[in-house]
Amino acid sequence: MRIYVHDVTGRDGVQNYDFPVSTRSKLTYSRHMAAAGVASIEPGSFVSSKSELHKRFLDNADVLKGLSDLQDPIQYWLAPSLGCYKKCVLAGARSFGLVISVNEDHEKKNKDGASLDEGIRESREIIMAAAMPILFKLSFLFG
């Protein structure tokens, strides 16, 4: 039996702190995950500049550059919208993660008030434009 670990700490973990996490800490953590044999990681997120999380990921380009020598693990950079996907491509990412909401509440919260139909249309555009591996994520918001 094989177990594949996908670590989201570089993206999701950073979102939960009330203080900025240094670029050096992000690089060190990601390299530790690589040394441990983790199959894939999410070192960061290309989020909308309107997002409250935007400031947490201002160093994406530096983190991406600092990990550019790693072939493994696969680095999926979260890009939740077409604009974010374009930033991801310009920064030189080799793969990305795409969140597809499965309910209206999650879509509105995650994508600046967009409807579920708008989000699905935009996701389709991103998929059609993508020239790199995509990690699809289905997300749901309770309550």
Side-chain angles (χ1 to χ4, degrees), residues 57-79:
F57 299 109
L58 291 174
D59 63 348
N60 275 341
D62 294 330
V63 174
L64 209 153
K65 183 178 178 183
L67 299 175
S68 64
D69 64 310
L70 294 180
Q71 293 303 309
D72 292 314
I74 298 170
Q75 299 170 39
Y76 290 106
W77 292 81
L78 188 67

Side-chain angles (χ1 to χ4, degrees), residues 3-138:
I3 298 173
Y4 294 93
V5 175
H6 175 72
D7 183 76
V8 299
T9 306
R11 176 197 55 82
D12 201 38
V14 169
Q15 293 176 183
N16 296 314
Y17 291 113
D18 290 334
F19 55 87
V21 177
S22 72
T23 303
R24 182 180 179 151
S25 292
K26 292 175 186 180
L27 291 170
T28 299
Y29 180 81
S30 294
R31 289 190 173 280
H32 283 305
M33 291 298 98
V38 169
S40 59
I41 60 174
E42 286 183 39
S45 178
F46 287 88
V47 296
S48 166
S49 56
K50 298 177 201 172
S51 170
E52 62 192 48
L53 300 174
H54 178 70
K55 290 180 181 174
R56 306 218 187 256
F57 299 109
L58 291 174
D59 63 348
N60 275 341
D62 294 330
V63 174
L64 209 153
K65 183 178 178 183
L67 299 175
S68 64
D69 64 310
L70 294 180
Q71 293 303 309
D72 292 314
I74 298 170
Q75 299 170 39
Y76 290 106
W77 292 81
L78 188 67
S81 69
L82 187 57
C84 297
Y85 167 73
K86 289 176 181 177
K87 289 179 193 176
C88 184
V89 170
L90 288 173
R94 296 182 296 225
S95 53
F96 73 102
L98 178 62
V99 174
I100 299 175
S101 300
V102 295
N103 72 329
E104 196 78 35
D105 289 340
H106 183 272
E107 188 68 24
K108 286 183 190 233
K109 184 173 190 277
N110 207 40
K111 295 187 184 169
D112 298 325
S115 71
L116 191 54
D117 286 340
E118 291 168 329
I120 291 169
R121 271 194 302 279
E122 183 175 51
S123 294
R124 188 177 304 124
E125 276 184 66
I126 295 168
I127 292 164
M128 298 305 288
M132 65 177 85
I134 306 170
L135 174 68
F136 288 100
K137 301 166 153 223
L138 300 177

